[in-house]
Amino acid sequence: MTTNDGNSPAGYLDRWRLLNAWVTMYVVGADLFIMSPLLPSMANALHVNVDSAGWLVSGFSIAYAVASPLMGRISDRYGRRRTICWGLLAFAAANLGTVCASSFTLALLSRIFAGISVSAISPSIYAAVGDAAPEGRRAHWISIAVSGLLTALWTSAPLGALLAHVMPWRAVFILLSAAAFVLAWPNLRLWPSSKSAGGRASRMRVPLRAAVSAVSPMVAWGAALYGLYTYLGTGLTLNTSLSASAVSLCFIGWGVGAILGNHLGGWGADKIGIHFTAIASLCGMALAMWLLGLGLSGAMGGGVLAATLCLLALVSYPFQPAQQTRLVQWGQSTKASLLAWNSSALYLGMTIGSAFDGYVMKHWSFNALPYAGMAIAAAGAALSLIAQSAFRSDAAVSAA
């Protein structure tokens, strides 16, 4: 068990572990989110249109979602440190494959391999953070790791746009490959060996029914939040009178709210309770979606809309660290498997949300999207209550 004394050797180790987790999650997140501004250049170099180049993103995401449960199982069986290290080395190799790709097919294969590699890294990082966290601060620690990914979400696209003007797109992937290769060493050194946990996990399994119940709220959360986010830029540009600077302000508001909400969720889960924080966040999301819908119908100004989006993110993102923390608590020695299922559930939710909100936009309007999100978030709160009830007993994760 680590200590909370920041001046002790354990305290210094804690800070290095958290910094390492944050940077690692930022790098793997940047690899996905930086793609959008690079796609036109990549499409031109690989002799395909931009729509086809979009499969470079989709291939990564699908591979991540499909491979995550298997990689979580490997992490539980063979240890977090080993899985993270090999995942980072494979991730570095995958990005070098993208650099060297001479055709669209080879580039797509490299992105699929990158997605599989990241599916080994992310759940293992969260599980390692949960393993190492001091008593009563587990959710706060996980929220710090998550904030690396969230920072990548709203900084990588503008960073990618800048880099696209100052260097070839292949150089961007060289930088990402180098960063992953360098990060393998601190991840190997900082995380403890988990041979005993891995031996126990090899005899444990997560029942499919329990896993589905546990991660079902994440499907709803991802569908409600990222379904709206997918069409936010297009909707604000085409369906409002906002200027380009006002639209940018809206995204900044969302990003600030996401970071603050994530840390608020870590604090709330530790101090108030993981179940209360998760359900309160989903209910708050539903209410904020309703307010956003009213505001869009009333043609609110850019500043008020940015504040409303900041509020939406602020009340929505506490769910993520609370959900991950209760999976760590429920999972015992199979926490990486549950966290991996949770990652797959998030990508499934994003896919469902994008498809559903696209249908809503086509048949109604952009202004209807917050109301669709409100309904999905309310369903997520109900699923969260069901999941909590299903996991009251330690029998949720049983011996094989």
Side-chain angles (χ1 to χ4, degrees):
M1 180 66 66
T2 56
T3 178
N4 291 331
D5 182 5
N7 294 321
S8 67
Y12 286 117
L13 179 61
D14 287 349
R15 287 199 291 270
W16 279 110
R17 283 174 172 168
L18 286 174
L19 177 61
N20 171 74
W22 190 96
V23 173
T24 301
M25 291 309 302
Y26 182 87
V27 169
V28 299
D31 185 79
L32 176 61
F33 300 129
I34 208 170
M35 287 287 292
S36 179
L38 299 178
L39 281 180
S41 298
M42 297 179 72
N44 182 60
L46 299 171
H47 309 293
V48 296
N49 58 43
V50 175
D51 290 343
S52 297
W55 277 102
L56 297 175
V57 178
S58 299
F60 179 104
S61 300
I62 293 170
Y64 180 102
V66 172
S68 276
L70 174 61
M71 292 302 170
R73 176 70 170 165
I74 290 173
S75 177
D76 283 328
R77 183 166 187 174
Y78 297 106
R80 323 290 181 219
R81 183 173 68 179
R82 190 181 304 177
T83 306
I84 295 168
C85 182
W86 282 109
L88 283 165
L89 293 176
F91 180 62
N95 278 294
L96 285 180
T98 305
V99 171
C100 298
S102 58
S103 68
F104 175 74
T105 300
L106 291 175
L108 179 59
L109 289 174
S110 72
R111 301 315 298 156
I112 291 173
F113 186 45
I116 295 171
S117 302
V118 172
S119 75
I121 300 166
S122 298
S124 297
I125 284 285
Y126 294 138
V129 169
D131 289 337
E135 187 68 30
R137 300 194 67 196
R138 178 177 284 165
H140 174 67
W141 274 43
I142 289 176
S143 73
I144 292 174
V146 172
S147 70
L149 185 65
L150 292 179
T151 303
L153 170 65
W154 66 278
T155 63
S156 295
L159 177 61
L162 174 64
L163 293 177
H165 284 87
V166 300
M167 65 175 62
W169 64 266
R170 295 181 193 271
V172 176
F173 289 99
I174 291 175
L175 292 176
L176 288 167
S177 178
F181 183 80
V182 170
L183 283 168
W185 183 81
N187 276 284
L188 185 64
R189 297 288 296 174
L190 290 172
W191 302 117
S193 175
S194 51
K195 290 182 180 179
S196 60
R200 182 185 175 194
S202 67
R203 300 188 299 273
M204 303 287 284
R205 65 181 178 89
V206 180
L208 178 61
R209 183 176 178 180
V212 171
S213 176
V215 304
S216 60
M218 179 58 79
V219 176
W221 183 82
L225 198 61
Y226 287 106
L228 173 65
Y229 189 84
T230 298
Y231 299 101
L232 188 60
T234 301
L236 292 178
T237 301
L238 299 180
N239 296 278
T240 69
S241 58
L242 298 180
S243 64
S245 59
V247 172
S248 297
L249 181 63
C250 288
F251 279 100
I252 292 172
W254 182 294
V256 171
I259 297 296
L260 294 177
N262 171 65
H263 290 295
L264 177 64
W267 176 88
D270 283 333
K271 302 298 183 182
I272 303 173
I274 52 177
H275 303 304
F276 178 85
T277 301
I279 294 171
S281 178
L282 288 164
C283 292
M285 183 200 297
L287 179 60
M289 287 281 191
W290 176 69
L291 292 174
L292 178 61
L294 291 179
L296 289 174
S297 300
M300 65 171 61
V304 178
L305 183 56
T308 305
L309 288 168
C310 181
L311 174 64
L312 172 60
L314 180 67
V315 299
S316 300
Y317 278 92
F319 172 79
Q320 194 166 13
Q323 166 74 356
Q324 290 172 320
T325 303
R326 67 178 174 183
L327 293 180
V328 169
Q329 177 177 301
W330 286 338
Q332 301 174 11
S333 293
T334 57
K335 56 177 67 73
S337 294
L338 274 176
L339 289 167
W341 277 98
N342 196 59
S343 295
S344 295
L346 175 58
Y347 277 86
L348 175 61
M350 289 178 177
T351 303
I352 293 172
S354 296
F356 180 69
D357 281 14
Y359 178 87
V360 170
M361 278 192 68
K362 180 179 179 180
H363 290 83
W364 287 279
S365 69
F366 170 70
N367 291 354
L369 295 190
Y371 298 110
M374 177 182 70
I376 298 172
L383 290 171
S384 188
L385 286 171
I386 294 171
Q388 177 183 347
S389 175
F391 274 81
R392 287 186 184 278
S393 170
D394 288 339
V397 178
S398 57

